[in-house]
Amino acid sequence: MKILIVDDEKLLVKGLKFNLEQEGYQVETAFDGEEAVRLAHDDNISLILLDLMLPKVDGFTVCRTIRGFSNVPIIMLTAKNEDIDKILGLEYGVDDYVTKPFNIREVTARIKAILRRANPTPKGDRSKVIVSGNITLDYNFRRVQINDRSIELTSKEFDLLELFLRNPGKVYTRENLLDTAWGFDYPGDARTVDVHVRRLREKIEENPAEPKYIKTKWGVGYYYKKD
């Protein structure tokens, strides 16, 4: 698998590249936002490590641009720890965060976790295709269609939709969804879930303001109403 590292700190990039190659990954590097967007068009890129503060084009703009043509998983590297940056990143389709300074083992663990979700290994009796009303989810190929029209979802949006489709009617608290879709050690909060649910509704609902599928259980969380 190939990983694209985007950061203008050349020593940091060198260290990350060395460690990831030791883990068996191919690594491409970019040192500014423009180069990052150009390299991200490579269909062989499996994941992007993207710094927030970049020359020429900032990380948020890079992420938003990439999301216009690719759903490749993105982990944002940032020296900032303010909640507003995290929320903005989620708006643009970031899958995870690592705050500098970081432990390389943590970065590697997060990469492996996201790639496992994005490229799952089928299990014995796990349904490969789920059909609910006009929604069809193909688990093996990570594809979603509505009325035979393909819907582009980020890896996290796909994970949430799969969870809802497999458990119609079950109410999940925001904490349940963080634990299940992000992992128990994810340093997010309820707003992380709210942003992703809103984005998912915008993609699968005819009227996101009055959702037909992903419903809110006021004071509790969210659930999927089977058509």
Side-chain angles (χ1 to χ4, degrees):
M1 291 186 176
K2 185 185 293 186
I3 294 175
L4 172 61
I5 302 173
V6 186
D7 200 303
D8 62 336
E9 297 182 47
K10 294 191 176 181
L11 284 178
L12 182 146
V13 171
K14 183 177 180 181
L16 275 173
K17 184 174 188 294
F18 174 81
N19 282 278
L20 291 176
E21 287 177 340
Q22 293 299 303
E23 292 285 337
Y25 298 108
Q26 292 179 273
V27 178
E28 291 281 349
T29 60
F31 300 100
D32 63 64
E34 289 182 358
E35 187 179 15
V37 172
R38 179 177 62 81
L39 292 177
H41 280 86
D42 182 351
D43 291 335
N44 293 317
I45 298 292
S46 299
L47 182 142
I48 298 175
L49 291 174
L50 177 65
D51 188 35
L52 172 60
M53 305 300 291
L54 291 169
K56 297 185 180 180
V57 182
D58 67 87
F60 287 145
T61 303
V62 170
C63 184
R64 182 174 56 189
T65 303
I66 291 173
R67 282 290 171 259
F69 62 83
S70 173
N71 287 315
V72 62
I74 296 174
I75 298 177
M76 186 161 279
L77 305 176
T78 173
K80 293 187 175 183
N81 199 27
E82 291 86 351
D83 286 341
I84 186 62
D85 288 324
K86 294 181 179 180
I87 296 301
L88 284 173
L90 292 172
E91 293 282 354
Y92 293 142
V94 173
D95 293 278
D96 203 348
Y97 288 89
V98 178
T99 303
K100 299 177 182 179
F102 51 74
N103 185 309
I104 186 61
R105 291 182 180 178
E106 177 188 2
V107 176
T108 303
R110 289 177 183 269
I111 288 172
K112 289 179 178 178
I114 288 178
L115 289 178
R116 275 197 305 271
R117 294 188 183 104
N119 302 279
T121 300
K123 297 179 181 178
D125 59 352
R126 187 156 199 167
S127 299
K128 296 178 181 179
V129 177
I130 307 172
V131 178
S132 179
N134 61 352
I135 299 177
T136 301
L137 181 146
D138 189 318
Y139 176 76
N140 284 352
F141 291 95
R142 307 280 290 185
R143 294 173 184 165
V144 174
Q145 289 185 317
I146 297 181
N147 294 326
D148 298 322
R149 177 173 58 90
S150 294
I151 304 297
E152 295 295 328
L153 300 180
T154 66
S155 61
K156 204 59 62 186
E157 291 163 359
F158 184 96
D159 292 341
L160 284 174
L161 181 59
E162 183 203 354
L163 182 66
F164 284 130
L165 289 177
R166 290 190 185 280
N167 302 278
K170 180 176 180 179
V171 179
Y172 289 93
T173 67
R174 291 167 175 81
E175 290 73 21
N176 290 155
L177 293 172
L178 277 175
D179 290 348
T180 305
W182 277 265
F184 69 91
D185 60 345
Y186 182 73
D189 57 22
R191 288 173 296 175
T192 301
V193 174
D194 293 339
V195 169
H196 277 81
V197 168
R198 178 171 58 78
R199 287 172 58 86
L200 183 56
R201 281 172 168 165
E202 289 171 351
K203 293 182 179 181
I204 71 169
E205 302 279 3
E206 289 185 12
N207 181 4
E210 297 181 6
K212 175 181 177 182
Y213 296 113
I214 302 177
K215 312 286 282 186
T216 299
K217 185 75 171 180
W218 295 108
V220 183
Y222 299 102
Y223 67 98
Y224 179 80
K225 184 176 181 181
K226 192 171 183 177
D227 189 13

